[in-house]
Amino acid sequence: QNTPNTFERDQYGATIKIESQLQKSTLTSITAYNSSIDKYFGDNDQTIKDVSGWGRNQKLKNFSQEIRIATPRNKQFSYIAGLYYLNENVAGRDTFTLGTDFLPVAEVLLGQTIGQIPNYLESATTNAEIKSQSAAVFFSGQYRVNKQFNIS
């Protein structure tokens, strides 16, 4: 191959969980943040010729927050209820290149002579970004009628 394949990733994150005992339940807060940056470049044709390459740079960041209250499961009536929030951003850039040694391949594909073009380089870049926010409310409960029968 004429260009070495490379891959780099920087990734980090943190989570904080706090629990507080109330009279008959537990209040829990979970906060999280994650970030990742990826860089990749590869020699598509895997030969010593400069035919084509492809690269990707991507960034991911997300933040989430959950707050919930729960009762012990061994009670006659138990439940868990809460709120959840997620904010996520993903951005990517893809680059595809065709080099000087692609011209003979193009001649075969097109069925016609192109000739030599000094320092030929063609590239295409695609940029994409996704920004997303989600929220949810959740609840699950159980009522114990007797040792053998529960209503959920």
Side-chain angles (χ1 to χ4, degrees):
Q1 69 197 65
N2 64 313
T3 304
N5 292 331
T6 59
F7 180 76
E8 297 176 23
R9 174 176 284 161
D10 293 324
Q11 189 170 17
Y12 60 90
T15 301
I16 299 171
K17 180 179 180 181
I18 300 171
E19 289 189 335
S20 178
Q21 290 301 127
L22 305 177
Q23 288 181 350
K24 296 181 179 181
S25 59
T26 303
L27 182 65
T28 304
S29 172
I30 302 171
T31 305
Y33 177 80
N34 292 293
S35 176
S36 177
I37 299 173
D38 300 338
K39 296 178 182 178
Y40 166 81
F41 186 80
D43 183 353
N44 281 347
D45 54 279
Q46 298 294 311
T47 68
I48 60 170
K49 301 286 188 178
D50 183 17
V51 178
S52 72
W54 179 75
R56 174 175 253 282
N57 291 347
Q58 179 173 289
K59 293 180 182 180
L60 164 72
K61 292 183 179 185
N62 67 41
F63 168 82
S64 65
Q65 176 65 55
E66 178 179 334
I67 298 174
R68 67 178 182 237
I69 189 166
T71 57
R73 295 190 67 181
N74 61 355
K75 302 294 180 185
Q76 185 173 14
F77 176 66
S78 62
Y79 64 89
I80 182 169
L83 304 169
Y84 180 78
Y85 172 75
L86 173 66
N87 184 334
E88 184 170 52
N89 294 319
V90 181
R93 174 184 290 218
D94 293 312
T95 303
F96 180 76
T97 60
L98 297 175
T100 305
D101 295 319
F102 176 74
L103 295 175
V105 176
E107 288 177 340
V108 171
L109 293 173
L110 296 173
Q112 63 185 28
T113 302
I114 296 174
Q116 290 296 319
I117 302 172
N119 301 316
Y120 172 78
L121 176 66
E122 186 174 341
S123 68
T125 301
T126 303
N127 294 306
E129 185 171 12
I130 299 170
K131 293 183 177 185
S132 173
Q133 291 185 348
S134 303
V137 176
F138 58 90
F139 176 84
S140 177
Q142 176 177 290
Y143 180 76
R144 181 179 300 154
V145 177
N146 57 45
K147 289 184 179 182
Q148 296 161 336
F149 185 68
N150 295 322
I151 298 173
S152 297

